């Protein structure tokens, strides 16, 4: 047992032996390296994911913005003071990285990683060690490693347990990922469907369930390092999750023997060891540890109250971490179709959502006037559409802003349609409830949450059959609705061939302009006019299920014209086009100067075609770029992002210290901070991410 787990069975036989085990002297080297990597990643994270580089856009000082804090009394400070808060956060991360005033630095960064303040991460490769030789290269208690190792084990294992959900096992949660270029090697030997089921879902499940165990044992650790590193590198490209992937990579060495940095850095040339971590094999004794053997002083160090507190903290903290992912029976108000307080759940990517229809209706409490709001008005967040607590906050905020626009005592109703894990699009909240006055409690179930129609989940297999029978230009949306409710919908004029097909239940379709009603049963269909409203009422006792089948006739005609123009351009290039071109097609001759030809084009379709061709050429050039060019592009982009963050911070600190300068000077300073790389246009990267040929529509 000692060889496998690192301790004896007798070490768990009594409280005294457990305290002695958890305070066993352990080499601080691995903990020191983790502290350095963690601080570095958090310092980078402040400028990236936390938003220092675009803080002025994030907080919009003085603008009417709806926000969603956990506690409603929390309000952002004035913008210059928010920059000061971020400076404190950045200095805290930097202090953790350097091991400089370690406890103070951790307190500065306490809001997210509070338990690190209790550890002795500054005993190795730290500025504190240079300032205080008494703590330099001294032992740390074993519980310092125990807490981190089990914490990371929980991250993997609980995420794996949550992936035993039927949607994940059956391959519905993240099926779209199989189309990403990262999975192209797997698609050489497997069809996309099997890549999704076996690689994305099956591989993710197995890795999460086993990673913690594989990292723990010596024999399997090298294989675990390979797979978890590959997994986190892929995640960094697949999802926008900030530093999480890189932080998880930095935690992997924690599972190695604590003295691995000494052996690793001991292989470097002697002249480099001045700046490298210590490689001397023997750490100093520390009063933080309990020693079984007699020390050089001739005494045996016994356990003290601080040692017992360390053991108690370890046990309570780890029990809490195992409990939190299953604590949703307490905070029931945050539960929706999935458990709330997502950050404590570890149900990583188990649920994917798509939103088809969002309507916000307000009613003037005094005049009864009804109007509509643009979804997302007054907020930068999109998560309110899926979370009842955030929807309540949003409605309350809107009710405070609308009186500025002569809307008195407003009632606000939300009609939000969501599909989760490729199910029917259905309502998530009751559209008949005024959310401003609706009851909500963090400890009671949400009374205006509509139930997820899980009984209709088997229809997903039928969806795939129906979608497979359609051509590439035909689109389809599957809808499920509750008895007594109706869907009001507007068909765009671009959708010239739209029909409703009933799959289950009975519906009544009202064509508003024609003032006609049509009752449909399963298997029946009706064509609805474009450019007009219609309503679909569910009149059966149970939920109704139907589908919209439509063709974007405008897009289809545009694609047909693009194909003809492309064929004509190819004939011009290879010299097989013998007919003279009319004036509106003359810009096609300037194939090498597409941007100039685009400007000179008078025909709007030709202009769109040339714009599309230019963008395709840019995308192809970027995708075919070499490794060095990609690294250079990445480095330049990050440089200007970080540069803006620090320059805007300097402006804010100056404003706090000496006051605001004249507006003209402030304008010049902000313009200098906003400077981009010479060849880049504003938001070029975002534009190039659009699907080629569709973004301009």
């Amino acid at each position: 047992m000692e060889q496998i787990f690192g301790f004896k069975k007798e070490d768990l036989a009594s409280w005294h032996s457990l305290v002695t085990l958890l305070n066993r002297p352990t080499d601080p080297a691995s903990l020191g390296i983790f502290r350095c990597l963690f601080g570095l990643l958090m310092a980078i994270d402040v400028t990236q994911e936390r938003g220092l580089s675009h803080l002025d856009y994030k907080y919009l000082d003085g603008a009417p913005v709806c926000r969603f804090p956990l506690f409603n009394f929390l309000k952002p400070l004035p913008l210059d003071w928010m920059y000061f808060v971020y400076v404190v956060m950045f200095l805290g991360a930097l202090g953790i990285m350097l091991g400089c005033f370690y406890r103070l630095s951790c307190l500065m960064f306490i809001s997210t990683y509070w338990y690190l303040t209790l550890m002795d991460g500054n005993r190795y490769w730290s500025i504190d060690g240079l300032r205080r030789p008494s703590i330099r290269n001294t032992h740390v208690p074993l519980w310092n490693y125990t807490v981190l190792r089990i914490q990371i084990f929980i991250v993997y294992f609980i995420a794996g347990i949550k992936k035993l959900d039927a949607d994940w096992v059956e391959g519905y949660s993240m099926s779209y990922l199989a189309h990403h270029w990262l999975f192209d090697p797997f698609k050489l030997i497997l069809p996309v469907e099997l890549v999704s089921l076996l690689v994305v879902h099956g591989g993710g499940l197995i890795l999460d369930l086993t990673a913690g165990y594989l990292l723990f044992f010596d024999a399997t650790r090298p294989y675990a390092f390979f797979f978890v590193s590959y997994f986190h590198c892929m995640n960094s490209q697949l999802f926008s999750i900030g530093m999480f992937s890189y932080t998880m990579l930095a935690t992997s060495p924690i599972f190695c023997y604590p003295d691995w940095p000494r052996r690793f850095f001991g292989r470097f040339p002697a002249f480099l060891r001045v700046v490298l971590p210590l490689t001397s094999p023997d750490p100093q004794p520390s009063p933080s540890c309990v020693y079984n053997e007699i020390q050089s002083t001739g005494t045996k160090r016994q356990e003290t109250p601080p040692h017992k507190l360390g053991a108690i903290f370890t046990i309570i903290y780890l029990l809490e971490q195992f409990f939190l992912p299953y604590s949703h029976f307490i905070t029931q108000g945050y539960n929706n179709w999935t458990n709330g307080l997502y950050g404590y759940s570890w149900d990583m990517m188990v649920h994917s959502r798509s939103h088809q229809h969002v309507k916000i209706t307000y009613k003037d409490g005094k005049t009864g006037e009804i109007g509509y709001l643009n979804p997302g008005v007054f907020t930068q967040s999109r998560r309110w559409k899926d979370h009842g607590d955030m929807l309540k906050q949003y409605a309350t905020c809107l009710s405070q802003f609308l009186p500025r626009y002569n809307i008195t005592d407003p009632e606000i109703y939300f009609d939000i349609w969501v599909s989760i894990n490729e199910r029917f699009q259905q309502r998530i909240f009751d559209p008949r409830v005024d959310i401003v006055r609706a009851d909500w409690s963090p400890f009671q179930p949400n009374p205006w949450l509509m139930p997820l129609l899980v009984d209709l989940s088997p229809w997903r297999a039928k969806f795939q059959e129906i979608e497979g029978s359609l051509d590439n230009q035909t689109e389809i949306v599957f809808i499920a609705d509750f008895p007594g409710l109706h869907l009001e919908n507007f068909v765009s004029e671009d959708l010239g061939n739209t029909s409703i097909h009933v799959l289950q239940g009975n519906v009544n379709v009202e064509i508003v302009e024609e003032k006609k009603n049509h009752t449909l049963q399963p298997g029946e269909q009706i064509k609805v006019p474009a450019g007009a409203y219609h309503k679909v009422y569910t009149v059966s006792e149970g939920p109704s299920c139907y589908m919209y089948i439509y063709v974007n006739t405008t897009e289809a005609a545009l694609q047909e014209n693009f194909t003809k123009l492309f064929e004509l351009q190819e004939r011009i290039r290879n010299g097989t086009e013998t007919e003279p071109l009319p004036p509106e097609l003359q810009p096609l001759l300037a194939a090498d100067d597409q941007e100039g030809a685009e400007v000179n084009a008078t025909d709007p379709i030709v202009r769109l075609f040339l714009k599309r061709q230019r963008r395709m050429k840019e995308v192809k050039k970027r995708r075919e770029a070499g490794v060095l060019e990609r690294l250079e592009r990445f480095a330049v982009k990050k440089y200007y992002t970080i540069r803006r963050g620090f320059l805007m911070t300097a402006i804010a600190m100056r404003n706090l210290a000496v006051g605001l300068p004249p507006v003209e000077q402030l304008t010049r300073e902000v313009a200098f901070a906003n400077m981009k790389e010479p060849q880049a246009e504003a938001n070029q990267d975002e534009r190039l991410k659009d699907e080629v040929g569709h973004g301009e529509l």
Side-chain angles (χ1 to χ4, degrees), residues 620-682:
K620 182 179 180 181
K621 180 180 178 181
R622 293 170 71 89
R623 287 178 178 173
E624 294 178 351
V627 175
L628 291 179
E629 185 178 346
R630 288 172 182 263
L631 287 175
E632 179 186 7
R633 191 166 61 224
F634 173 82
V636 169
K637 179 181 177 181
K638 292 302 179 184
Y639 164 75
Y640 280 96
T641 299
I642 296 173
R643 171 185 179 275
R644 185 183 192 277
F646 283 113
L647 288 177
M648 293 296 292
T649 301
I651 294 172
M653 296 302 98
R654 188 274 319 278
N655 295 344
L656 291 175
V658 300
L660 287 170
V663 175
E664 295 79 8
Q665 177 183 340
L666 192 60
T667 302
R668 290 194 303 271
E669 292 172 347
V670 173
F672 180 71
N674 287 334
M675 185 176 66
K676 300 287 186 180
E677 56 267 38
Q679 74 276 16
E681 299 177 8

Side-chain angles (χ1 to χ4, degrees), residues 378-414:
F378 296 124
T379 185
Q380 298 170 309
S381 174
R382 295 177 293 179
R383 297 186 63 192
W384 55 268
K385 292 180 286 188
D386 299 310
H387 301 273
D389 58 305
M390 297 179 72
L391 194 73
K392 177 66 176 178
Q393 289 177 306
Y394 190 33
T396 303
C397 178
L398 290 176
S399 70
Q400 296 169 354
F401 287 151
L402 289 181
R404 304 180 186 181
Y405 302 90
N406 298 321
I407 302 170
T408 306
D409 197 18
E411 302 173 9
I412 301 179
Y413 304 87
F414 294 86

Side-chain angles (χ1 to χ4, degrees), residues 46-321:
V46 170
T47 65
Q48 302 289 305
E49 189 75 7
R50 298 308 117 214
L52 177 64
S53 299
H54 53 276
L55 205 62
D56 47 333
Y57 297 103
K58 188 182 177 91
Y59 286 101
L60 297 174
D61 201 12
V65 178
C66 295
R67 307 187 189 279
F68 307 94
L70 182 60
F71 302 106
N72 290 328
F73 63 83
L74 293 174
K75 305 292 182 184
L77 299 171
L79 184 60
D80 287 342
W81 283 103
M82 288 305 301
Y83 273 106
F84 177 77
V85 170
Y86 272 66
V87 167
V88 173
M89 188 189 302
F90 178 79
L91 291 177
L94 196 65
I96 293 173
M97 180 187 75
L98 298 175
C100 181
F101 298 101
Y102 178 69
R103 293 283 194 271
L104 175 62
S105 296
C106 287
L107 288 172
M108 293 165 67
F109 206 72
I110 197 172
S111 58
T112 49
Y113 298 100
W114 58 271
Y115 62 86
L116 281 177
T117 61
L118 301 176
M119 294 187 174
D120 295 320
N122 61 338
R123 302 299 176 90
Y124 184 80
W125 205 28
S126 67
I127 291 178
D128 284 352
L130 297 177
R131 295 190 308 110
R132 299 167 56 195
S134 61
I135 69 168
R136 187 186 187 193
N137 193 31
T138 57
H139 284 127
V140 298
L142 178 62
W143 67 261
N144 283 209
Y145 286 97
T146 303
V147 167
L148 286 172
R149 287 169 177 169
I150 299 184
Q151 172 74 87
I152 302 308
F153 171 84
I154 291 172
V155 173
Y156 285 117
F157 186 69
I158 299 297
I161 294 294
K162 296 299 183 80
K163 285 182 174 62
L164 292 174
D165 179 84
D167 284 359
W168 184 278
V169 174
E170 294 174 11
Y172 289 110
S173 296
M174 291 282 137
S175 59
Y176 67 91
L177 289 183
H179 298 279
H180 196 280
W181 63 267
L182 282 171
F183 295 96
D184 285 351
F186 300 101
K187 285 181 276 189
L188 295 176
I189 55 176
L190 294 172
V192 174
E193 294 78 12
L194 287 181
V195 171
S196 173
L197 182 62
L198 300 180
V199 180
V200 176
H201 293 89
L205 171 63
I206 293 172
L207 186 137
D208 278 336
L209 283 175
T210 61
Y213 296 102
L214 298 178
L215 284 168
F216 188 81
F217 297 109
D218 294 347
T220 56
R221 190 174 300 121
Y223 305 102
F225 267 41
F226 172 79
F227 285 111
V228 299
S229 299
Y230 185 69
F231 174 73
H232 291 304
C233 288
M234 290 183 70
N235 282 346
S236 70
Q237 300 299 309
L238 291 170
F239 307 109
S240 297
I241 50 179
M243 289 291 118
F244 178 75
S245 299
Y246 306 107
T247 304
M248 291 301 293
L249 285 172
T251 63
S252 296
I254 284 289
F255 290 87
C256 298
Y257 286 98
D259 65 343
W260 72 264
R262 301 182 191 277
R263 291 180 277 114
F264 176 75
F265 291 110
R267 299 175 181 177
F268 282 73
F271 70 90
L272 291 176
R273 294 179 185 174
V274 178
V275 294
L276 292 177
L278 290 172
T279 58
S280 57
D282 297 322
Q284 300 183 66
S286 168
S288 300
C289 304
V290 175
Y291 295 84
N292 286 323
E293 68 277 7
I294 302 297
Q295 300 299 305
S296 58
T297 58
T299 61
K300 182 178 179 180
R301 296 190 180 177
Q302 301 294 330
E303 62 185 57
T304 61
H307 297 139
K308 296 178 181 179
L309 287 176
I312 293 172
F313 163 76
T314 301
I315 295 171
I316 293 177
Y317 176 79
L318 295 178
L319 289 175
E320 174 208 28
Q321 291 299 305

Side-chain angles (χ1 to χ4, degrees), residues 451-670:
L452 178 63
L453 297 172
V454 292
D455 293 342
L456 301 177
S457 298
W459 274 96
R460 290 180 292 189
K462 185 66 175 178
F463 294 169
Q464 295 175 351
E465 294 180 16
I466 296 174
E467 291 170 341
S469 65
L470 303 176
D471 58 50
N472 293 332
Q473 294 183 338
T474 304
E475 302 288 342
I476 192 167
V477 178
F478 298 97
I479 303 291
D481 203 3
F482 295 91
L485 297 179
H486 73 276
L487 168 64
E488 182 180 22
N489 206 357
F490 178 83
V491 179
S492 169
E493 294 181 353
D494 294 326
L495 310 181
N497 186 16
T498 302
S499 58
I500 298 175
H501 301 244
V502 179
L503 302 173
Q504 177 179 307
N506 299 326
V507 301
N508 192 320
V509 180
E510 176 188 354
I511 309 299
V512 177
E513 288 187 357
E514 299 177 3
K515 297 182 179 180
K516 292 182 179 180
N517 294 317
H518 306 269
T519 301
L520 302 180
Q521 298 179 351
E524 297 181 341
Q525 66 183 65
I526 184 175
K527 186 173 181 179
V528 291
Y533 280 95
H534 66 271
K535 298 179 181 180
V536 184
Y537 296 84
T538 297
V539 295
S540 54
E541 294 183 359
S544 67
C545 304
Y546 52 94
M547 58 184 178
Y548 282 92
I549 298 180
Y550 60 95
V551 176
N552 190 326
T553 51
T554 302
E555 181 181 3
L558 183 63
Q559 292 296 338
E560 183 179 354
N561 286 326
F562 280 178
T563 301
K564 292 178 180 178
L565 290 173
F566 179 76
E567 293 172 351
L568 176 59
Q569 192 178 56
E570 287 298 302
R571 292 199 300 270
I572 293 173
R573 286 174 176 170
N574 58 34
T576 58
E577 178 61 35
T578 58
E579 298 293 328
L581 296 180
E584 63 270 16
L585 297 181
Q586 290 292 329
L588 295 176
L589 296 172
D592 296 331
D593 184 19
Q594 290 179 342
E595 188 169 356
E598 178 186 325
V599 173
N600 296 326
T602 57
D603 187 282
I605 294 180
V606 174
R607 189 183 305 115
L608 274 176
F609 171 75
L610 292 173
K611 179 181 178 182
R612 176 178 181 268
Q613 293 294 97
R614 176 171 59 84
R615 293 181 62 189
M616 289 178 65
K617 185 176 180 180
E618 292 173 354
V619 171
K620 182 179 180 181
K621 180 180 178 181
R622 293 170 71 89
R623 287 178 178 173
E624 294 178 351
V627 175
L628 291 179
E629 185 178 346
R630 288 172 182 263
L631 287 175
E632 179 186 7
R633 191 166 61 224
F634 173 82
V636 169
K637 179 181 177 181
K638 292 302 179 184
Y639 164 75
Y640 280 96
T641 299
I642 296 173
R643 171 185 179 275
R644 185 183 192 277
F646 283 113
L647 288 177
M648 293 296 292
T649 301
I651 294 172
M653 296 302 98
R654 188 274 319 278
N655 295 344
L656 291 175
V658 300
L660 287 170
V663 175
E664 295 79 8
Q665 177 183 340
L666 192 60
T667 302
R668 290 194 303 271
E669 292 172 347
V670 173

